[in-house]
Amino acid sequence: MNRDIPGFSLQRMPVYLNYLRSLPDDDAYTYVSSGAIAQALGLGEVLVRKDLAYTGCAGRPKVGYPRAELIAALEQFLCIHDHKGAVLVGAGGLGSALLGYGGFANYGIELVCAFDNDPHKVGGIVGGKPVLSVDSLEAGCMEYGVQLAIIAVPAASAQGIAERLIRAGIRAILNFAPVQITAGEDVKVINIDVAANLAILASML
Amino acid sequence: MNRDIPGFSLQRMPVYLNYLRSLPDDDAYTYVSSGAIAQALGLGEVLVRKDLAYTGCAGRPKVGYPRAELIAALEQFLCIHDHKGAVLVGAGGLGSALLGYGGFANYGIELVCAFDNDPHKVGGIVGGKPVLSVDSLEAGCMEYGVQLAIIAVPAASAQGIAERLIRAGIRAILNFAPVQITAGEDVKVINIDVAANLAILASML
DNA sequence: TAGATTGTTAATCGATTAACAATC
DNA sequence: TAGATTGTTAATCGATTAACAATC
C-alpha cells in the first residue's frame, strides 16, 4: 500500500508523527507549519511538505497543517490502527529490554511473546510477556498469526532463525544481530547493528 | 579524516569488516572477490569495489582482495586501533543491556561508565561498569576525556542530556530516545528509534 | 592465450533543493 | 491588498549501476 512512496520519505513518517504527538495540546499548536516542523527536526521545509503530501493531508496557505488531522493522516498512512503482533527471538540483555519497552504501542504494535533456548528462561515471564522454547518457534508464530519479528540472538544463529521465521509466515524482520540477514524479495528486513553505528560515529571524530 | 567519502559508503564499512572477520580462517578465503562479498551482503558488486577502493586496499584481477590486508585496511579506515572511550546516559532496560554488550570491543570502543538519576542504581555496577550520578555527568565526561556518548534516557530528557554532553566535550552521540536530537554542525548524531523501525516494517506488509 | 576479476568512466536513477505559481 | 505559507515543476546533487578497458 505504501510501496509507491520513496523509501526515505517512509522512514521519516514516524519521525513526523512522533514530533506532532509531542507538541503541547494548546491553541498555539492547532496548526503547524512545514517550516516549524523542518526546524524542529533539522530537515528542509520543502522536503517536509513533499513528505506530508504523501499522507493526503492538505495544508492551508498562510496557516499550516491542521495538527490533529495530520496526526490522523500519518497514523492511517502507517496503518497504526490495524493492531499488529510481533514476536521476539532471543531473551538476552537486549531482548529483555525490548520486552519491557512500552514504545511499540505508540505504533499499534504488540510484542506477544519471546522465544529463547535457555531452559532457565523458558516458561517464565519477562517484561510481562511469556518466554517460550525456541523449539516451538514455528508453532508459536503460526498460532499467534504474527507477520513481524525481532531477532536479538547471537550473530551465529541469526540467519538460521530468520529462515525459520520466514517459513513460519513472518514477512518482516528487525534484526539486531551483527550480521546482515538476507531474505527473499518478499520479506522486508531492517538490520540495526548498534556497535557498528557507534563505530561509524567514532570514525568521524 | 573520513569526511571525503560518501556517507552511504562509510555506513557499509563496518558491514564489510564484520563479514570479512566472520569468514573461516581457511586457505579458501585467503582472497575474497567483490562478487562473493556482494552476494553475501545483498549488494551490487561494482558498489562493493567502489567502496573498498576508499580503504586503499588494492584487489588483484582474477584473484580478488587479500582478506587479511583488507581487514587491516578497514580497521585503519575506521580508526579501530585508536582505542576510544564512550559514556552511556540512562541505565534502564536498554542502557543496562548495552553496558553488558561485548560488541563494542570489535571496533576498539569501550564503554567506560554510565550515568543515571536513580539513587538505587548510582554507586552500583552494571555489566561490569560503574553507574555514576547524572549530576556528575560533566565532571565524569571530562575526567575520562571521552568524545562519544550513548543516550538511553526517556524522550523528555534526551535533548537536555545531549546539550549537557556537548558542553562536556562530547562530539558524537548515538541516541536511542524516540526524539530527534539536534545539535550543531560540529557534533555528529545518529538517532535510532527501535519502535519507529518496527512501525516502518509493519506499514510495508 | 583465454578467462576472470579489478578499477574507472559514463549513464542512470533517486532524493533533495531551488524557483515560483497558487492560495488564503 | 500584502504577506505568509502551501504545492508543484524544474534543477541540482549524490548514489548506484552499466559499460568497458586494464590486468593478472
Side-chain angles (χ1 to χ4, degrees):
Chain A
M1 187 191 266
N2 294 338
R3 270 150 230 135
D4 302 352
I5 97 153
F8 286 84
S9 295
L10 176 57
Q11 286 186 52
R12 285 185 292 266
M13 294 302 181
V15 177
Y16 295 127
L17 177 56
N18 225 37
Y19 170 69
L20 293 168
R21 282 174 167 174
S22 78
L23 292 175
D25 228 336
D26 185 328
D27 282 359
Y29 296 99
T30 307
Y31 289 88
V32 205
S33 75
S34 58
I37 297 172
Q39 175 144 46
L41 301 176
L43 303 169
E45 62 171 36
V46 184
L47 185 62
V48 172
R49 287 200 290 276
K50 218 170 136 291
D51 285 343
L52 297 184
Y54 289 113
T55 68
C57 176
R60 295 194 207 168
K62 188 162 158 107
V63 190
Y65 295 82
R67 184 168 73 104
E69 280 178 41
L70 188 49
I71 289 176
L74 283 161
E75 287 175 349
Q76 186 170 33
F77 190 88
L78 290 168
C79 317
I80 279 178
H81 299 299
D82 15 324
H83 187 273
K84 286 171 190 126
V87 295
L88 171 80
V89 191
L94 180 60
S96 299
L98 294 173
L99 286 169
Y101 179 56
F104 299 115
N106 294 329
Y107 299 101
I109 296 167
E110 187 196 358
L111 244 51
V112 295
C113 68
F115 298 99
D116 202 284
N117 63 2
D118 179 345
H120 295 101
K121 288 177 185 155
V122 170
I125 303 273
V126 175
K129 316 290 179 182
V131 180
L132 313 178
S133 166
V134 77
D135 296 336
S136 59
L137 186 145
E138 287 83 355
C141 287
M142 292 168 96
E143 192 189 331
Y144 284 112
V146 294
Q147 300 188 304
L148 275 173
I150 303 177
I151 292 182
V153 301
S157 356
Q159 181 68 37
I161 291 290
E163 286 161 15
R164 288 179 61 188
L165 287 166
I166 292 164
R167 265 184 264 123
I170 293 292
R171 288 172 49 210
I173 296 173
L174 185 59
N175 171 46
F176 286 94
V179 278
Q180 300 300 108
I181 282 189
T182 53
E185 286 264 314
D186 51 331
V187 179
K188 313 289 175 191
V189 179
I190 296 180
N191 295 294
I192 297 182
D193 186 331
V194 174
N197 275 282
L198 200 58
I200 289 163
L201 283 172
S203 80
M204 294 193 299
L205 288 178
Chain B
M1 189 190 265
N2 293 338
R3 269 151 229 134
D4 302 351
I5 96 153
F8 286 84
S9 295
L10 175 58
Q11 286 184 53
R12 284 185 292 266
M13 294 303 181
V15 177
Y16 295 127
L17 177 56
N18 224 38
Y19 170 68
L20 293 167
R21 283 173 167 175
S22 77
L23 292 175
D25 228 336
D26 185 328
D27 281 359
Y29 297 99
T30 306
Y31 289 88
V32 206
S33 74
S34 57
I37 298 173
Q39 175 144 47
L41 302 176
L43 303 170
E45 62 171 36
V46 184
L47 185 62
V48 172
R49 285 199 291 276
K50 218 169 136 288
D51 284 343
L52 297 184
Y54 289 113
T55 68
C57 175
R60 295 194 207 167
K62 187 162 160 105
V63 190
Y65 296 82
R67 183 168 73 105
E69 279 178 42
L70 189 48
I71 290 176
L74 283 161
E75 287 175 348
Q76 186 171 31
F77 189 89
L78 290 168
C79 316
I80 279 178
H81 299 298
D82 15 325
H83 186 274
K84 286 173 190 124
V87 295
L88 171 79
V89 192
L94 179 60
S96 299
L98 294 173
L99 286 169
Y101 179 55
F104 299 114
N106 293 330
Y107 299 101
I109 296 167
E110 186 196 359
L111 245 51
V112 295
C113 69
F115 298 100
D116 201 285
N117 62 4
D118 179 345
H120 295 101
K121 288 176 184 155
V122 171
I125 304 274
V126 175
K129 315 290 177 182
V131 180
L132 312 178
S133 165
V134 77
D135 296 337
S136 61
L137 186 144
E138 287 83 355
C141 286
M142 291 167 95
E143 192 188 332
Y144 284 112
V146 294
Q147 301 188 303
L148 276 172
I150 303 177
I151 293 183
V153 301
S157 358
Q159 181 66 37
I161 291 291
E163 287 162 15
R164 288 179 61 188
L165 287 167
I166 292 164
R167 263 183 268 123
I170 293 293
R171 288 170 52 208
I173 296 173
L174 186 59
N175 170 46
F176 286 95
V179 278
Q180 299 302 106
I181 282 189
T182 53
E185 286 264 315
D186 51 331
V187 180
K188 313 290 177 191
V189 179
I190 295 180
N191 295 294
I192 298 182
D193 185 331
V194 175
N197 274 283
L198 199 59
I200 289 163
L201 284 171
S203 80
M204 293 194 297
L205 288 179

